Amino acid sequence: MRKGRFNRAVGIFIALTASGAAALLWFAVAAGGPELSESPAQGLLLGFWSILYNTDAPAPRVILAAMALALLMAAGVATVDRRIANRSRRSLDPLTGPLAPRVVMSATRGVYAGPVTVTVLIPAHNEETSLPLTIASLLEQSRRPDRVIVVADNCTDATVALAQRAGVEVVESVDNTQKKAGALNQVLKRLLPGLGDNDVVMIMDADTRLDDGFLAAAVDRFSHDRALMAVGGLFYGEDGHGLIGQFQRNEYLRYSREIGRRRGRVFVLTGTASMFRSRALRTVAESRGASIPGTPGDVYDTAALTEDNELTIALKSLGGLMVSPAQCTVVTELMPSWSTLWAQRLRWQRGALENIGAYGITPQTLRYWAQQLGIGYGVIALGSYLLLIFLMVFSLDTWIWFPFWLGLGVLFMVERVATVWRGGWRARLLAVTLFPELFFDMFLNVVYLKGVADISLGRTASWQHVTHARPRETMGAERS
């Protein structure tokens, strides 16, 4: 049975908490701010450009207080996250942590479950354009999968025929009305009972291409650590789609870099490509309706908009150990237009809120709550920054430069460029211009606000599928 501790209240709780934190900081800064100078000074930049500038800056104690608060919050979240992870790994209670490493190691000590095998499930709904490239990337792996199954869900195009022509198995869903999660549940109910503990199930999107070496690296991890329950992929954006495509590629680059700095500790087992030990999926199915939300016997919670995020929280709640190695990378589809990007991100955001609302505040969900509160605070901070710039532009005849804030802007720009450096000159050029990415961030912030509003008002959420144009030539034709 779904816990539902927060449900609609999750959006209101996050909005009030983030707004309260922003208001508190505002009052603290306003109370300790310095007196403004009488008027800005005039000077020459580069010997010929006449500018007005103002040297006013926040009081040193305000700057130090803000820095200390930021460091304290970051260190606090990291410390709590580490303590929770360590406690989960050391748990010996098979009831509260049936997938905890010490529980799994104890249960499997001295038992040889055979070599690691890989069965790949590719859920596909009208994916004739992208599916051939996805299958090819699997069959070209240095360590090929033992079995590939395309889960065709209510397809009306050539998806089934193309999969059969590529030489892989095809299973068509039966009377499925529960989208991707429902189709996968149908196949997993038949597949899991026949798999051993060293049999791994990989679930990947039909618009994803594995980089060579993905399966070899993942199988090596599973072979050397029998307590490991899941391996997630690090995803990068495909080429093309102009400016909106580069926005998304930069975003994914920063996410992968963040996971790398966390030494592979997983935040989300992305649906683009993730691998699960069969023991983990069986335990999730057995725990549904009891210790975790969902319908008993289902691996995926069909009520969740973001089934991959929900499954990640489920595995963490059961004590599962998971990792995203740097060698396990994939290239995934990007949204080609602002409307499709809006629909995708709104589903992600709404799904994330619903997931933590369903699980409530637990040790395993604390970091997810902190992330949502951080996003909420960032919406207020970035919105206020751009609003102040707008007011300055339209209320003054002459632009006034503030060296202090200009210096902070330069540091921010350096950080933006450094975090996408490996993406090449296009990624760096977009980052160094700064403001386009800030406005892209504002677009995502509006999506966030829409998600909070929708869940708070109880509006019905929807799952939208992106339809691709038919390939113009052969199966290997480039996607449009």
Side-chain angles (χ1 to χ4, degrees), residues 256-276:
S256 296
R257 185 175 183 273
E258 180 183 353
I259 295 299
R261 294 178 67 185
R262 285 167 53 85
R263 298 181 180 178
R265 294 196 302 276
V266 173
F267 195 75
V268 175
L269 289 166
T270 172
T272 53
S274 292
M275 303 176 70
F276 307 89

Side-chain angles (χ1 to χ4, degrees), residues 92-121:
L92 286 171
D93 188 349
L95 296 178
T96 60
L99 295 178
R102 293 186 68 181
V103 173
V104 173
M105 295 290 281
S106 176
T108 58
R109 184 172 292 113
V111 177
Y112 178 61
V116 173
T117 68
V118 179
T119 298
V120 180
L121 301 184

Side-chain angles (χ1 to χ4, degrees), residues 59-96:
R61 62 186 182 86
V62 173
I63 298 174
L64 292 175
M67 293 175 60
L69 180 62
L71 291 172
L72 181 63
M73 291 183 64
V77 170
T79 300
V80 171
D81 186 47
R82 179 63 63 86
R83 286 179 63 88
I84 291 170
N86 289 341
R87 183 179 300 177
S88 176
R89 293 188 183 101
R90 295 167 183 166
S91 174
L92 286 171
D93 188 349
L95 296 178
T96 60

Side-chain angles (χ1 to χ4, degrees), residues 11 51 71 119 127 140 146 169 190 196 201 209 230 240 247 275 286 305 367 387 392 399 412 420 440 470-471:
I51 63 169
L71 291 172
T119 298
E127 298 285 0
E140 293 170 359
D146 299 276
E169 300 176 51
R190 286 183 282 172
V201 177
R209 300 190 301 276
F247 280 136
M275 303 176 70
E286 293 165 0
L305 277 175
R367 189 173 185 88
L387 177 62
M392 176 180 288
W399 181 271
F412 180 66
V420 299
F440 177 70
R470 287 181 62 91

Side-chain angles (χ1 to χ4, degrees), residues 122-138 150 155 157-160 162-163 166 204-210 238 241 272 331-335 465-472 474-480:
I122 309 175
H125 171 69
N126 292 345
E127 298 285 0
E128 64 178 9
T129 305
S130 56
L131 183 61
L133 294 177
T134 300
I135 295 174
S137 75
L138 277 168
V150 172
C155 293
D157 65 354
T159 293
V160 173
L162 289 173
M204 65 180 296
D205 288 341
D207 52 26
T208 296
R209 300 190 301 276
L210 299 185
E238 64 184 355
H241 304 304
T272 53
V331 177
T332 190
E333 171 197 47
L334 298 178
M335 295 298 101
H465 176 77
V466 177
T467 302
H468 306 281
R470 287 181 62 91
R472 290 189 296 269
T474 62
M475 289 199 312
E478 183 180 355
R479 280 178 284 175
S480 60

Side-chain angles (χ1 to χ4, degrees), residues 151-155 171-176 182-184 186-187 190:
V151 183
D153 181 38
N154 298 316
C155 293
V171 175
E172 298 188 60
S173 61
V174 179
D175 300 325
N176 177 47
L184 285 170
Q186 288 187 6
V187 175
R190 286 183 282 172

Side-chain angles (χ1 to χ4, degrees), residues 97-347:
L99 295 178
R102 293 186 68 181
V103 173
V104 173
M105 295 290 281
S106 176
T108 58
R109 184 172 292 113
V111 177
Y112 178 61
V116 173
T117 68
V118 179
T119 298
V120 180
L121 301 184
I122 309 175
H125 171 69
N126 292 345
E127 298 285 0
E128 64 178 9
T129 305
S130 56
L131 183 61
L133 294 177
T134 300
I135 295 174
S137 75
L138 277 168
L139 301 182
E140 293 170 359
Q141 290 284 299
S142 57
R143 196 287 187 196
R144 293 182 56 163
D146 299 276
R147 190 178 181 188
V148 178
I149 304 173
V150 172
V151 183
D153 181 38
N154 298 316
C155 293
T156 57
D157 65 354
T159 293
V160 173
L162 289 173
Q164 292 172 338
R165 193 183 308 169
V168 301
E169 300 176 51
V170 178
V171 175
E172 298 188 60
S173 61
V174 179
D175 300 325
N176 177 47
T177 60
Q178 296 174 320
K179 305 296 182 181
K180 173 181 173 181
L184 285 170
N185 281 338
Q186 288 187 6
V187 175
L188 288 169
K189 284 179 181 178
R190 286 183 282 172
L191 181 67
L192 288 176
L195 298 182
D197 284 349
N198 271 356
D199 295 323
V200 173
V201 177
M202 179 178 195
I203 300 173
M204 65 180 296
D205 288 341
D207 52 26
T208 296
R209 300 190 301 276
L210 299 185
D211 288 334
D212 188 33
F214 186 113
L215 290 184
V219 168
D220 183 67
R221 290 291 187 117
F222 281 115
S223 299
H224 289 87
D225 187 354
R226 66 179 188 273
L228 182 63
M229 291 293 109
V231 170
L234 296 177
F235 51 93
Y236 297 90
E238 64 184 355
D239 293 333
H241 304 304
L243 181 60
I244 191 174
Q246 193 61 56
F247 280 136
Q248 295 171 79
R249 281 189 290 275
N250 280 15
E251 182 186 18
Y252 292 168
L253 280 167
R254 293 189 177 102
Y255 174 79
S256 296
R257 185 175 183 273
E258 180 183 353
I259 295 299
R261 294 178 67 185
R262 285 167 53 85
R263 298 181 180 178
R265 294 196 302 276
V266 173
F267 195 75
V268 175
L269 289 166
T270 172
T272 53
S274 292
M275 303 176 70
F276 307 89
R277 205 179 286 272
S278 59
R279 179 193 190 98
L281 298 182
R282 283 195 295 266
T283 302
V284 168
E286 293 165 0
S287 303
R288 292 283 185 201
S291 57
I292 58 175
T295 302
D298 283 354
V299 172
Y300 284 98
D301 184 0
T302 55
L305 277 175
T306 47
E307 67 285 330
D308 50 355
N309 183 68
E310 195 281 334
L311 183 57
T312 306
I313 299 176
L315 289 169
K316 286 190 174 184
S317 297
L318 297 173
L321 176 65
M322 55 194 76
V323 68
S324 288
Q327 302 90 340
C328 295
T329 58
V330 304
V331 177
T332 190
E333 171 197 47
L334 298 178
M335 295 298 101
S337 67
W338 291 104
S339 60
T340 55
L341 181 63
W342 172 274
Q344 180 199 58
R345 298 312 172 87
L346 185 58
R347 182 172 67 88

